[in-house]
Each structure stands twice: as C-alpha cells, then as structure tokens.
Amino acid sequence: MNGQKIGYKRVSTIDQNTARQLDGVPLDKLFEDKASGKDTNRPQLQAALNYCREGDTLVVHSMDRLARSLVDLRGMVTKLTGRGVAVEFVKENLRFNGDDSPMAILLLSLLGAVAEFERSLILERQREGIALAKVAGKYKGRARSLTQEKVAELLARAAAGERKTQIAKSFGISRETLYSYLRTGSQEGASDRLAA
C-alpha cells in the first residue's frame, strides 16, 4: 500500500502568499502555516508531523520552509525517516527516506547550513538598518496594529470570555500581542513582533 503525500507550506507573515509553493504537486493532504521558521513550534507543522504515518511522504517546497535552523531541519528529517516517513524537498530536488547515502546527508547539512546562514544575514542587515535609522532619527518602531476603538472591542470580547486564540485571529494579531494588550489594558505597550 502506498502512503499519502502530505504537503507543508509556510510563509513568515499573514501578508505573504503561499500560492507558489507546491504549485502543481499532487497532494492528499495539505498543512499551511503563516509563522516564522525560527523554531518548530508552529501549529500546522506540528499537525502535519502528527498526521504523517509510516509509508507517507512529507512534501515541502524548500528546506527553509520547513526549518531555518540546521539543528531543527536535521532533527525533523531524522525523526520522520526514523518513523518510516519520507521527506521530499521540491526546490532542491531531494528526497530522504532513512536509507540515505552519505552524499544525500551531506547535501541536507550543507543546504540547511546555507538557509541558517541566510537567515542570520537577513537579521544582521535588519539590525544594522534599524541602528542607522535610529541615529538619523528616522526610526519610529513598528506602527501599532489596532486603533483605540479596536483595543476597546478586544478587551470587551476577552472580558466576555471569548477564546483568546479566536480573538487574536479575528484581529490579525499574534497571541503574544493580544496578551500584551490585555496586560496593559490599552494600546500603549502593545506591539506586534516581526516574524522572520
């Protein structure tokens, strides 16, 4: 019996689109996150990993969509192949099934290290840009997500007992930002975190 092909897509922010990822790839099931790849604690990634069974293949557009850290990438691939789940990266044209050659493992490590290095460079350039903008007096920080009216609505919904996850989703903010609004009781002090 052939296993299922399970797709996983990821973009870093809710404004980004996953349409180009796995375009035209036949899949039995698809999971999609709009979250940073800095760690593996992503709801749909965890759901995909739990859904995979022996004989299945997890299909991902590219390695950096699965993980930005070499340790996380190798750990996930090793764990999945150890359970009898193959991992396929479309962009790199690589497939891992546990019986991988030393060359395949080397490629996984090299390409994973490149993705991790690229993320480090992006963060470094971002920090340098912010530092220069601060010196020039041009950096104001990220604009607040919600107006005072929206904050009042958010606080009222939370006070009425609505689930925090649902509130955050309906306002298009992270749960961390929601809790920041709830702690301060106003817009001050609450800011979205930029997801890399």
Side-chain angles (χ1 to χ4, degrees), residues 11 14 81:
V11 289
I14 58 172
T81 56

Side-chain angles (χ1 to χ4, degrees), residues 13-15 34 142 144-146 150 154 157 164-178 181 192-193:
T13 68
I14 58 172
D15 300 330
K34 293 196 173 191
R142 183 173 179 163
R144 302 295 181 211
S145 294
L146 304 178
K150 292 284 186 189
L154 176 149
R157 287 171 64 177
K164 307 294 188 288
T165 304
Q166 185 56 44
I167 297 171
K169 195 175 203 177
S170 68
F171 283 100
I173 60 175
S174 69
R175 285 187 303 172
E176 186 175 333
T177 299
L178 169 70
Y181 281 121
D192 281 335
R193 304 234 169 197

